[in-house]
Amino acid sequence: MTAAHLDPTRRHDAVLLFDVSDGNPNGDPDAGNQPRTDDETGQGLITDVAIKRKIRDTVSLLRGDDPRYGIFVEAGFALNTRIEAALKANPGKADEAQRWMCEHYFDIRMFGGVLSTGKGGGAGQVRGPLQLTFARSIDAILPTDHTITRVTQTRQEDIDKGERTEIGSKWTVPYGLYRAHAFYSAPRATKTGVTSDDLAALWQAITVMFDHDRAATRGEMKLCGLYVFSHPDAFGVAPSAALTQRITLKRKNDDKAARAHTDYTRTIDESGLPDGIELTRLVDLWP
């Protein structure tokens, strides 16, 4: 029997909780790579694009040798070249080219993609079954700019002039606990060919993605919670918000800055869940 959260024929709504310590989880190139924030509330933001990038890269590590788990949006590869290869394999049949790409690229099968570029109008557009929200920190964050030095120069002429160090800067967030939601549509998954194995790869990738995306700029990031609400059928029996809002977080001491996920109380209200809804706690670091 297939576990509820691995059943591609059922609708799923998920809550992701993760944190960052002394790092920049998602810099804004329009603001000198400062951590992204909500200008009104000061809460930290991480784009859905950044989260999907981590999932893509991790799935590639986990399933890179499997021809069904190619990654379409991948550094160093032109999208039009891949679209044209699909059209060449299915001449004059955009629908077949779409199906071919869904079969060969995990991220198109799961996230969808715009395939209408390139020669001959491309292969249209695929609406993926899984959508992610921006991640938003529970509390306001305090982006901090640190001045750093380097003992070697970029240019030889600077060394010849006697310069010994170069000055730079590094943005970090002392601490932030972030929350994002994921929504999976079974009817759309039927059209792209998502399988139980695909869902297993997705949840596994989310579970370990921060462990395989380490960088000096990102400090320490970890997944604190991953909770999946599975509906009894493809269309669902409750609004997503009625389920995701059952998971709440509250800082234990409002007079003290949070520096760990345990500075928050995580509560899950499982009373009166709609009939057929199953909650799977894939990751839960709270005691």
Side-chain angles (χ1 to χ4, degrees):
M1 182 178 178
T2 302
H5 68 288
L6 298 179
D7 189 342
T9 67
R10 299 170 67 167
R11 190 181 121 197
H12 307 288
D13 300 311
V15 176
L16 290 67
L17 302 175
F18 57 90
D19 65 2
V20 59
S21 298
D22 299 320
N24 185 352
N26 188 201
D28 185 349
D30 288 330
N33 207 43
Q34 297 181 40
R36 296 181 189 271
T37 58
D38 182 320
D39 291 337
E40 292 184 324
T41 67
Q43 290 169 291
L45 297 174
I46 299 174
T47 66
D48 59 315
V49 174
I51 299 172
K52 286 179 180 178
R53 179 73 270 154
K54 297 180 194 304
I55 295 173
R56 285 183 168 102
D57 291 345
T58 307
V59 168
S60 181
L61 291 174
L62 294 170
R63 304 291 185 93
D65 295 333
D66 191 324
R68 263 184 57 83
Y69 289 87
I71 299 298
F72 179 67
V73 181
E74 189 174 23
F77 294 89
L79 303 185
N80 283 356
T81 300
R82 292 182 162 183
I83 295 171
E84 289 163 11
L87 289 168
K88 184 176 180 179
N90 302 273
K93 299 178 180 179
D95 290 347
E96 291 297 323
Q98 278 190 18
R99 187 173 294 108
W100 186 91
M101 297 188 77
C102 285
E103 290 173 353
H104 288 80
Y105 294 111
F106 171 84
D107 51 342
I108 291 181
R109 196 159 64 246
M110 193 65 71
F111 302 141
V114 177
L115 312 178
S116 55
T117 59
K119 298 177 182 178
Q125 180 174 342
V126 175
R127 294 195 63 180
L130 187 86
Q131 297 302 323
L132 286 154
T133 66
F134 272 39
R136 176 179 290 268
S137 66
I138 305 304
D139 292 317
I141 60 172
L142 182 64
T144 305
D145 187 15
H146 306 272
T147 299
I148 57 176
T149 61
R150 187 173 66 184
V151 298
T152 186
Q153 314 311 115
T154 303
R155 302 180 302 172
Q156 180 62 41
E157 52 263 39
D158 293 331
I159 295 177
D160 296 339
K161 288 188 296 184
E163 294 184 10
R164 292 292 177 265
T165 60
E166 285 193 352
I167 303 297
S169 65
K170 183 175 182 177
W171 285 95
T172 66
V173 173
Y175 184 78
L177 176 61
Y178 289 77
R179 174 178 183 146
H181 295 162
F183 308 108
Y184 172 86
S185 168
R188 295 200 183 284
T190 299
K191 295 181 179 180
T192 63
V194 172
T195 66
S196 179
D197 198 36
D198 292 333
L199 283 176
L202 171 70
W203 303 131
Q204 184 183 11
I206 292 174
T207 298
V208 304
M209 63 184 179
F210 296 118
D211 295 316
H212 296 280
D213 188 52
R214 305 285 186 189
T217 57
R218 282 190 278 280
E220 183 174 358
M221 297 183 69
K222 69 176 184 294
L223 185 69
C224 302
L226 175 56
Y227 312 94
V228 184
F229 293 93
S230 300
H231 295 252
D233 56 37
F235 292 96
V237 295
S240 298
L243 302 176
T244 57
Q245 70 182 5
R246 289 172 173 268
I247 298 176
T248 57
L249 294 120
K250 182 176 176 56
R251 202 164 79 209
K252 295 177 181 178
N253 187 347
D254 290 335
D255 297 325
K256 179 183 177 182
R259 288 295 181 268
H261 73 278
T262 50
D263 289 333
Y264 293 84
T265 300
R266 192 271 299 121
T267 303
I268 303 178
D269 179 11
E270 296 187 64
S271 63
L273 277 173
D275 290 343
I277 295 289
E278 295 183 56
L279 171 60
T280 303
R281 305 186 190 200
L282 292 175
V283 175
D284 190 0
L285 296 190
W286 277 269

